[in-house]
Amino acid sequence: MARTKELLRKNSMLIALIFIIVLFEIVINVRSGSYLITPMNITNLINQNSYVVILACGMLICILSGGNIDLSVGSQVVLIGALAGVFLIDMRMNVWLAIGLCLLAGIGLGAWQGFWIAYMRIPAFIVTLAGMMTFRGMAQLILGGFTKSPFREDFTRYFNSFLPGDRPEMRLPVALTAAGVICAVFIAAQIIGRVRKIRKKYDVEKVAVTAVRTAVVCAVAMGIAYMLGLDRGIPVILILLAAVVAAYSYYTKHTVPGRRLYAMGGNEKAAKLSGINTNRILFFAYTNMGFLSALAALVCVARFRAATPSAGMGFELDAIGACFIGGASAYGGIGTIYGAVIGAVFMGVLNIGMSIAGMDQYWQSTIKGIVLLTAVVFDIMSRKRKQAA
């Protein structure tokens, strides 16, 4: 019974995601006779929420460092987007050079904020609030209040194209083959991880639990691949998202700096006394956030084929909400990339589901706010129950 409760607690947001998908399927079918889970909607969900997944990975690193957040990511997105417009549209710069300069600019913005937060110890809320206003103002100056468009095809194709391209007959076979490879890698990782834990005499979960989880993951992967194959194929942006999620998941779970990040979030004073350079970790968290904000900016301007002064509005709230909904602690030290991705998908399903159901924009904002508050309250109550026990 105790193991069952722990399993349900760990997968509570996944269960909530499944519940909300089923709920929207019923509501949308009753109101319009259509469905939420269709090939086109799956593709749209990936494209429309790609920036949330990218920003959530960076925001989680900031939150893990001690409950810190970055309020400036939306403004960084619009500023980097404006620079991309200047490089690619005005200056006709080489695509890869422009992408490299944009990523370096994002790293610079993150490092600027990281310096004041990590080494000057100015509260992150104040520094990033100032950055939110400053960076958006700089973007407005660069754009002059106007939209820069259209972005060149040799740039947008790296983010907006699909595999296998203009061969409709190969879309489904390619998608299913890719999903099969992913399933094989996942199964191998589960087996290797279990063997390593047994060799080190760690506690391992029951074989049945591992088998069920593996089967569910593989079934979902194959189902999504089938849907994508029926539409336009595998979005290139999905490959980019998979690479980002895999890299940051490995960093947080299997590297020494990643473990130090959790240690700092759990107790910064104890981490510092144990020899961990907490200033360097905090500096890295915000520099990395700048890098991922630049990547999200490139994804956004490629999708809209334009750099607009109003871009990035509310992006910081989407990223923060995805992390907290996905199980990150408001106090730091607790959270996973997997959870942040689940939170991002949850918010994406909420957005697209409420839009298809025809709900008013004000109701959409209200519901998302209630969901975010509920997630944070759940985290705080869980911590109190653990402390009481």
Side-chain angles (χ1 to χ4, degrees):
M1 181 63 69
R3 286 191 174 185
T4 302
K5 288 183 178 180
E6 181 65 16
L7 184 64
L8 292 175
R9 187 189 67 79
K10 287 183 177 180
N11 295 280
S12 58
M13 285 315 304
L14 182 58
I15 296 170
L17 175 61
I18 296 172
F19 171 78
I20 203 72
I21 290 174
V22 173
L23 178 63
F24 274 126
E25 284 285 3
I26 297 172
V27 172
I28 292 171
N29 185 255
V30 170
R31 297 190 64 171
S32 62
S34 58
Y35 296 95
L36 173 66
I37 304 301
T38 64
M40 183 180 294
N41 286 343
I42 293 294
T43 301
N44 291 338
L45 180 65
I46 294 170
N47 289 332
Q48 292 174 10
N49 292 277
S50 54
Y51 76 90
V52 182
V53 175
I54 294 171
L55 293 177
C57 289
M59 192 66 71
L60 179 70
I61 302 298
C62 295
I63 292 172
L64 288 177
S65 67
N68 302 300
I69 57 175
D70 190 339
L71 296 174
S72 70
V73 294
S75 297
Q76 291 185 56
V77 166
V78 68
L79 177 54
I80 300 301
L83 290 176
V86 171
F87 294 152
L88 292 166
I89 298 175
D90 296 344
M91 301 176 63
R92 308 295 298 177
M93 190 178 289
N94 174 271
V95 169
W96 290 107
L97 177 59
I99 290 175
L101 289 176
C102 286
L103 294 178
L104 286 175
I107 291 173
L109 295 178
W112 166 257
Q113 295 193 131
F115 169 78
W116 296 107
I117 295 169
Y119 296 104
M120 295 293 102
R121 287 294 168 167
I122 299 175
F125 180 87
I126 300 300
V127 174
T128 58
L129 180 62
M132 179 176 69
M133 294 183 286
T134 303
F135 300 152
R136 187 164 292 276
M138 293 170 65
Q140 298 280 358
L141 290 173
I142 293 173
L143 294 173
F146 297 99
T147 297
K148 286 188 181 296
S149 66
F151 276 77
R152 304 191 324 245
E153 180 64 27
D154 59 346
F155 166 72
T156 59
R157 69 185 180 190
Y158 291 113
F159 301 94
N160 294 340
S161 56
F162 294 82
L163 298 177
D166 298 327
R167 301 180 63 186
E169 73 281 0
M170 293 299 296
R171 290 172 182 170
L172 189 57
V174 169
L176 292 177
T177 300
V181 172
I182 291 172
C183 291
V185 171
F186 183 78
I187 292 171
Q190 293 295 304
I191 295 173
I192 293 171
R194 186 177 183 85
V195 170
R196 285 178 176 175
K197 287 182 178 180
I198 292 174
R199 285 179 179 175
K200 294 178 180 179
K201 298 183 179 180
Y202 292 163
D203 291 334
V204 293
E205 62 188 8
K206 293 182 179 180
V207 176
V209 175
T210 303
V212 170
R213 182 178 62 247
T214 303
V216 170
V217 170
C218 291
V220 170
M222 295 300 290
I224 292 175
Y226 179 75
M227 289 287 190
L228 294 176
L230 293 179
D231 192 32
R232 287 165 286 177
I234 301 175
V236 171
I237 188 63
L238 181 60
I239 300 173
L240 174 63
L241 294 181
V244 170
V245 170
Y248 282 89
S249 181
Y250 182 83
Y251 171 79
T252 54
K253 295 172 73 173
H254 300 292
T255 68
V256 173
R259 305 317 301 171
R260 288 175 176 173
L261 184 66
Y262 282 95
M264 176 182 174
N267 190 324
E268 183 176 356
K269 289 183 178 179
K272 186 176 291 187
L273 290 173
S274 66
I276 296 175
N277 189 334
T278 56
N279 290 348
R280 183 184 299 169
I281 293 175
L282 200 54
F283 179 78
F284 165 78
Y286 283 90
T287 303
N288 174 73
M289 187 73 254
F291 167 74
L292 289 180
S293 295
L295 183 60
L298 295 173
V299 169
C300 289
V301 295
R303 177 168 174 258
F304 295 112
R305 300 178 185 272
T308 62
S310 61
M313 295 293 291
F315 281 18
E316 59 281 345
L317 302 181
D318 289 336
I320 294 169
C323 292
F324 287 139
I325 290 173
S329 172
Y331 300 99
I334 297 174
T336 63
I337 296 295
Y338 159 79
V341 172
I342 292 294
V345 174
F346 187 95
M347 293 191 67
V349 170
L350 269 182
N351 288 331
I352 196 170
M354 290 188 292
S355 296
I356 296 174
M359 295 183 66
D360 187 84
Q361 183 66 38
Y362 301 113
W363 275 109
Q364 294 186 32
S365 298
T366 302
I367 291 173
K368 287 193 290 185
I370 292 172
V371 169
L372 176 58
L373 178 61
T374 302
V376 176
V377 170
F378 179 79
D379 166 59
I380 293 174
M381 296 302 294
S382 296
R383 289 173 66 92
K384 286 184 177 180
R385 281 198 297 268
K386 284 184 178 181
Q387 290 174 357

